[in-house]
Amino acid sequence: MIPLKDSQLFRDRAYIDGGWRDADSRKTFEVTNPATGEVIGTVPDMGGAETRRAIEAAERALKSWAAKTAKERANVVRRWFELMMENQDDLALLLTTEQGKPLAEAKGEVAYAASFLEWFGEEAKRVYGDTIPQHQPDKRIVVIKQPIGVVACITPWNFPLAMVTRKAGPAIVAGCTVVLKPAEQTPYSALALAELAERAGLPKGVLNVITGDPPAIGKELTASPIVRKLSFTGSTEIGKLLMAQCAGTVKKMSLELGGNAPFIVFDDADLDAAADGAIVSKYRNTGQTCVCANRFLVQDKVYDAFAAKLVERVKALKVGRGTDAGVSQGPLIDRQGLAKVEAHVQDAVAKGARIAVGGKRHALGGTFFEPTVLTGVNTRMAVAREETFGPVAPLFRFHTEDEAIQIANDTEFGLAAYFYGRDIGRVWRVAEALEFGIVGINTGLISTAEAPFGGVKESGIGREGSKYGLEEFLEVKYLCMGGIQEPSQFPSGPMWRGRDLGQASASVLASALVASGFAAIAVEVIAAGLRGLFPGLTG
Ligand code: NAP
């Protein structure tokens, strides 16, 4: 039992159509604590049939949710944000227990995750359309934005709360409804969010959370014609698979995939700031973030000095259970993750790298690994090409700016890049030359709800966070209104006498709209005309 202040936040059933459900088969699977190996509990092992029901529930909820005003939707999501913050301690403990990150980091993730609900709720009130100067005298061009419809979200284990709110937050405030599949290692955080969403007043069917068999759930979500968009965060391999599966129904997609971030230290950098930034960028979440610095490129003149400063800081990192005081490095998520980190270190050492600190499994056992720095690294090693996803900092040496850019861009990935330097001309040149979606300049921390997060090349498609992240859940619709004649073409006679042009054109525009099937808009336009005729009329 996790000692939560509010035990109702521990939900071990899936959430579909406003109710807590078991799998049809009653089968479940276990969720374990990566710090201890202990079983925390079980969740339903669902498949295609349950996913179909979740999609249908989302479809039923769509019309009335989309019809609400942006302010009504934002009010519910604002309350959801407040409930997350009111339950920050419980959510953090749940997160640490199933994911492993230190409690202080987990609390930070709760606040970061909640910030997406706050920010998108505010931004949803500013989903503006456009009026565009017409190309013909008798036409008017208007652009409106509408929710895309039912959205599927698939999230990874490394940020079990933030990846949910970064997707479901903008989708829901935009007027979409959601079917979400969290990672099997970390379902409890997502289920707790569903519990809080219900308490906040989210109507049934607007958010559905299903747990179970990834390929079966994924196939249903991608094949369903009801689902109009898939938002996925995870590995490039699974992203490509889902992209292929979505082709059959031509779904809109957002993909936040793997990275291989360079972290460049130029010879005019503030080396202490660079070493601090390296710690944040590399060792946060025990090196298991998609924007983690994966390759440190250090200019020849400052290579040894930077290595010394980094090693000094790495030695101070405390490894242990996330719930223990002072711990800054938790376990890796599972044995597969541990094996990859170990293999990367062994490959580098076999090809000539030196271990400056760490380099092996931690004495605590389990999936704990020592925070590691490797020097003398070169581009023939696996650490140069693959995402390590662990606490290993390999230090490459370079001589010129061009060489640094060439090495940095020599990857199929393009999510985040970082560099430290103070020459303003070089800052601009390098920032523009790096082929990445996000560039941190003299900082190792770049994620925030206000800014667009996402990659280029095989790191993904689309952006999350910011106004760009909201656009991902909206369709642009262009209304071309024709038949707007000159005033001289209006019929004469008593009916038109004494009325202004605005009322007359409203009437003509309304007829044109009815003829083109825009009945609802026509009613609005007629009402506007009537209000002009009878100023007291307010309904
Ligand atoms: P993953 O194996 O691709 O899993 C991600 C999600 O996809 C999980 O929910 C997983 O479910 C699900 N999944 C797996 N196979 C599936 C299938 N056939 N159909 C449908 N869903 C399927 O990735 P991961 O190892 O959990 O996460 C680490 C990766 O995510 C890293 O590469 C990291 O860089 C990337 N990441 C990217 C970002 C970003 O914003 N770009 C952010 C965070 C992480 P199960 O867990 O149940 O298998």
Side-chain angles (χ1 to χ4, degrees), residues 154-159 163 166 181-185 212 214-215 218-219 232-236 238 241-242 245 256-259 289-290 387 389 415 453 459 464:
I154 301 179
T155 52
W157 49 264
N158 59 350
F159 287 90
M163 295 304 102
R166 199 161 80 175
K181 192 208 92 62
E184 57 199 318
Q185 292 101 328
K219 276 205 184 97
F232 170 77
T233 295
S235 61
T236 297
I238 300 296
L241 175 83
L242 294 172
Q245 286 180 199
E256 298 283 353
L257 308 177
T289 80
C290 53
E387 196 178 22
F389 237 53
L415 186 56
F453 188 104
S459 285
E464 292 190 330

Side-chain angles (χ1 to χ4, degrees), residues 38 59 154 206 265 308 316 335 370 393 476:
E38 287 163 10
E59 188 186 30
I154 301 179
V206 175
V265 183
R335 300 220 159 259
E370 294 177 346
V476 166

Side-chain angles (χ1 to χ4, degrees), residues 261-265 274 277-279 281-283 293-298 303 306 310 377 392-398:
F263 186 111
I264 308 170
V265 183
I279 292 290
S281 168
K282 174 73 254 183
Y283 296 95
N294 202 52
R295 300 169 290 157
F296 287 83
L297 315 182
V298 189
Y303 188 96
F306 175 76
L310 184 60
V377 177
V392 178
L395 270 50
F396 301 74
R397 191 185 292 266
F398 73 90

Side-chain angles (χ1 to χ4, degrees), residues 333-373:
I333 189 72
D334 55 24
R335 300 220 159 259
Q336 212 183 329
L338 177 72
K340 186 174 188 188
V341 171
E342 204 169 29
H344 274 195
V345 172
Q346 285 168 0
D347 169 79
V349 170
K351 290 173 182 162
R354 287 177 302 284
I355 296 170
V357 59
K360 59 182 188 307
R361 293 181 184 212
H362 196 274
L364 283 170
T367 57
F368 289 97
F369 197 86
E370 294 177 346
T372 299
V373 177

Side-chain angles (χ1 to χ4, degrees), residues 52-68:
R52 207 156 34 248
R53 286 203 289 281
I55 294 170
E56 286 161 5
E59 188 186 30
R60 280 194 300 278
L62 180 64
K63 202 170 165 196
S64 58
W65 183 246
K68 289 195 183 301

